[in-house]
Amino acid sequence: RRKEARSEWDIEALRKNAPSRKGLIEDLSGAWQNLRRNKARSFLTMLGVTIGISAVLSTITLGSYTRGKILETYESLGVNKLILIANPKWRASAKDFNRNIVFSGLSMKGDIEPIRRLFPEIRLLSPVIMEWVKTIEYGGRSLDEARVVGVNEEYFAITNRKIIDGHQFTAFHHENRSRVCVIGSEVAEKVFGKSSPVSQVIQVSDPNGNANGRQYSCLVLGVMAPQTSNNDWVKPNLQVLIPDTFISLIANQWNAKLREIDMQIEPSASIDDLRTKIETYLKLKYGRTVDVRVDSDDILIAQMRKFLN
């Protein structure tokens, strides 16, 4: 009974102290009259509040826009690109091989797919198999300094390679190990001249005429736009990109080994953290039998952090 009485008393007190509709209308009427009596002060107050809120919102919007544009610019330069290089440890001792798993090369199911699942920061990922210098022949013309590289369809976005004629190969070509290729602008110019190389078949062979070097043909699907590089050996305009699944079938045993993966990560992800995690993962899996390195452009990363700060 005491609890009930106390509860009823509280409810009654709240009812008495609650503002009535009439009192609320009177308060609003008084406030409006006060605003009308001091028009200049009221106008300046509202103007100040409006300017303050607009300034804050404008600053936030400008900061977000600037950050986004900087990230887009550096993304096109490859600042969010990582290159994983893994090789067998050549100077390993006998105790280094005292494990069930010994590294001989990266595999699609054993390494690439788990890395993609474990690290969601990775946006795009492509195996890279280097056939290096080869001779390209077509219609009596030849080029002895082409760089044949086996990749998947995501490699074009990772390296920002644009197509100026034809189109790139797709996941369908990659999965079916198709004999197709996309050539660099300098290859197209030196081998085909002014004619379009799209839908033409080129021959790829060893420039030294090595009998053991495998020869094969591929259908040209497209031509890549010219691209500059600070690496004289890579020479992107002399590249011939072919599905890595096809390269792994026709390359010799040494070149067919997968030892490089190119990755594009989310702009907001920490490159240093992801680099450490990938290296740790492979070292825990293969122990001292693997020599792993994850590279990135540290200078561009430092500049990006400076600008964003």
Side-chain angles (χ1 to χ4, degrees):
R1 289 180 180 178
R2 290 179 179 176
K3 291 182 179 179
E4 291 177 359
R6 189 172 299 172
S7 178
E8 292 176 358
W9 184 87
D10 291 340
I11 293 173
E12 187 64 24
L14 289 173
R15 288 177 178 175
K16 291 181 179 179
N17 295 328
S20 63
R21 183 178 180 182
K22 183 179 179 180
L24 183 60
I25 294 175
E26 292 177 353
D27 292 340
L28 292 175
S29 177
W32 176 250
Q33 292 176 5
N34 188 37
L35 289 174
R36 294 184 63 183
R37 282 195 300 268
N38 302 280
K39 292 181 181 180
R41 185 183 66 183
S42 301
F43 172 76
L44 293 175
T45 301
M46 288 187 292
L47 181 63
V49 172
T50 303
I51 293 175
I53 295 176
S54 300
V56 172
L57 293 177
S58 300
T59 304
I60 295 174
T61 303
L62 180 61
S64 300
Y65 173 78
T66 306
R67 179 183 176 87
K69 296 301 291 184
I70 291 174
L71 290 175
E72 288 179 7
T73 302
Y74 277 90
E75 184 176 344
S76 65
L77 293 175
V79 71
N80 60 336
K81 177 184 174 183
L82 288 178
I83 300 177
L84 166 63
I85 300 175
N87 289 300
K89 192 173 183 181
W90 307 117
R91 297 183 179 180
S93 60
K95 63 179 181 180
D96 293 336
F97 292 91
N98 187 21
R99 357 179 354 106
N100 295 327
I101 301 178
V102 177
F103 181 81
S104 60
L106 297 168
S107 67
M108 181 65 70
K109 293 184 178 180
D111 299 305
I112 298 178
E113 292 179 0
I115 286 175
R116 190 191 288 269
R117 291 195 304 266
L118 287 172
F119 307 113
E121 303 98 320
I122 299 175
R123 178 192 293 177
L124 300 171
L125 182 150
S126 173
V128 178
I129 298 178
M130 296 291 186
E131 271 273 273
W132 294 117
V133 179
K134 291 289 182 179
T135 296
I136 305 298
E137 297 178 338
Y138 173 80
R141 293 185 177 183
S142 64
L143 176 66
D144 295 332
E145 50 181 341
R147 270 72 171 163
V148 177
V149 186
V151 296
N152 68 9
E153 71 282 357
E154 296 181 4
Y155 183 82
F156 296 91
I158 294 173
T159 56
N160 197 32
R161 301 307 302 268
K162 306 297 183 183
I163 306 297
I164 57 175
D165 189 13
H167 59 87
Q168 68 182 59
F169 56 79
T170 64
F172 172 83
H173 298 107
H174 183 263
E175 293 172 1
N176 290 276
R177 302 177 178 179
S178 303
R179 290 173 174 259
V180 296
C181 60
V182 179
I183 63 177
S185 59
E186 196 170 342
V187 177
E189 180 182 351
K190 292 184 177 181
V191 177
F192 292 91
K194 296 182 179 180
S195 61
S196 175
V198 177
S199 300
Q200 304 299 325
V201 177
I202 60 174
Q203 300 293 326
V204 183
S205 60
D206 194 312
N208 299 319
N210 187 355
N212 296 325
R214 301 198 178 183
Q215 299 182 2
Y216 53 90
S217 61
C218 63
L219 176 67
V220 179
L221 296 180
V223 179
M224 294 177 285
Q227 188 179 68
T228 58
S229 173
N230 56 2
N231 190 334
D232 294 335
W233 176 247
V234 173
K235 295 185 178 180
N237 297 327
L238 287 172
Q239 287 183 344
V240 177
L241 302 184
I242 297 177
D244 66 280
T245 50
F246 170 64
I247 287 289
S248 62
L249 292 178
I250 53 88
N252 60 49
Q253 186 177 3
W254 174 257
N255 290 337
K257 291 289 185 180
L258 177 58
R259 298 184 178 90
E260 179 179 334
I261 300 175
D262 287 9
M263 295 169 284
Q264 184 187 88
I265 68 172
E266 298 291 344
S268 58
S270 173
I271 293 179
D272 294 334
D273 291 345
L274 183 59
R275 177 195 290 119
T276 302
K277 288 189 290 186
I278 293 175
E279 290 178 351
T280 303
Y281 167 75
L282 290 176
K283 289 180 180 179
L284 288 174
K285 182 176 182 179
Y286 293 106
R288 296 181 179 179
T289 64
V290 63
D291 184 9
V292 58
R293 186 176 79 251
V294 181
D295 294 333
S296 63
D297 199 326
D298 295 330
I299 296 177
L300 285 177
I301 294 172
Q303 289 180 347
M304 181 183 69
R305 288 176 176 172
K306 180 180 179 180
F307 287 143
L308 291 181
N309 288 336

